[in-house]
Amino acid sequence: ERLTFLIDTNIGTMREINRYRTHSIVEQSTRYCNYSRDKGGIPFSVPCDMDYDYICSLEKKVTEEGVDWKEYNNTLENVSSEEVKTHINENMFVLTSLFSNHIYTTLVNGYNRKLDDVRWSLPLTTRTKAYHTATIRDWMHFIDQRMANMSGKAHLDAQFIAKEVFKYVHKYMKI
């Protein structure tokens, strides 16, 4: 019996998951996706070990105030508050998101580059989706590799996905 899951994560984590060659994989292509600002910007997938609510409030504040990535970087360099120190990963995530959007939008809208010619500028945190189909045995191998760290310490996002997959796969296992 084969099971199919829609996995919604970032490009970096998806690369790790796509290494399972026994899975049949259909992934969203970035080749013709237009992520320029007038289309909503690059969709990012927040890593599971970051404070999602903090990032959302920070992005909202930055967007409403019209702060660009250069100003934001200067602000971070000159602020020594405990909040910034406590949430340094989240602040850097927002900074790189703004910077990536700036580069991508400049290339697409400012220099009229083709979408498939500028996808190199998309960061690994760009959101992507893929359908993975595999046998129960292959899913169990995937789960062992990611949850039990049988091939080294798995990334937290890959562990999270493996746990979510396990919730469904164990129902189909023959005991």
Side-chain angles (χ1 to χ4, degrees):
E1 188 169 358
R2 297 174 69 75
L3 299 174
T4 300
F5 291 92
L6 173 60
I7 300 173
D8 187 337
T9 188
N10 60 63
I11 290 174
T13 302
M14 192 65 78
R15 285 182 182 170
E16 184 176 326
I17 294 169
N18 285 352
R19 285 196 294 252
Y20 291 89
R21 306 224 189 327
T22 57
H23 292 194
S24 296
I25 304 166
V26 178
E27 185 175 359
Q28 171 188 358
S29 173
T30 58
R31 189 167 182 193
Y32 299 111
C33 292
N34 189 343
Y35 297 130
S36 58
R37 281 202 182 132
D38 59 333
K39 304 291 185 190
I42 298 170
F44 293 99
S45 177
V46 177
C48 67
D49 60 337
M50 290 191 188
D51 185 337
Y52 180 80
D53 293 334
Y54 181 85
I55 288 173
C56 289
S57 67
L58 194 58
E59 283 183 331
K60 182 178 180 187
K61 179 184 175 195
V62 168
T63 303
E64 287 175 357
E65 293 176 6
V67 177
D68 72 9
W69 67 270
K70 293 175 197 170
E71 286 180 47
Y72 189 72
N73 186 43
N74 289 338
T75 302
L76 284 180
E77 288 177 355
N78 296 317
V79 173
S80 60
S81 74
E82 282 305 310
E83 181 182 353
V84 171
K85 289 179 183 176
T86 302
H87 294 283
I88 193 65
N89 287 345
E90 289 83 354
N91 280 285
M92 290 298 128
F93 180 85
V94 171
L95 176 62
T96 58
S97 299
L98 290 169
F99 183 62
S100 298
N101 266 315
H102 172 74
I103 291 172
Y104 186 88
T105 302
T106 300
L107 289 168
V108 172
N109 295 341
Y111 292 97
N112 296 316
R113 296 291 188 253
K114 294 179 186 174
L115 298 175
D116 57 334
D117 290 341
V118 298
R119 63 183 172 163
W120 60 263
S121 67
L122 296 173
L124 293 177
T125 55
T126 303
R127 183 178 177 192
T128 189
K129 298 176 185 178
Y131 287 97
H132 275 245
T133 302
T135 64
I136 293 172
R137 180 178 178 204
D138 289 334
W139 278 118
M140 288 309 299
H141 175 70
F142 166 78
I143 291 165
D144 285 343
Q145 296 292 307
R146 296 296 151 229
M147 283 178 59
N149 295 318
M150 293 181 72
S151 63
K153 181 97 171 109
H155 188 275
L156 288 174
D157 289 337
Q159 289 177 1
F160 175 80
I161 291 166
K163 289 174 187 172
E164 291 299 305
V165 168
F166 181 73
K167 289 178 185 177
Y168 295 96
V169 171
H170 84 278
K171 295 176 186 177
Y172 294 94
M173 292 172 42
K174 294 178 182 168
I175 299 174

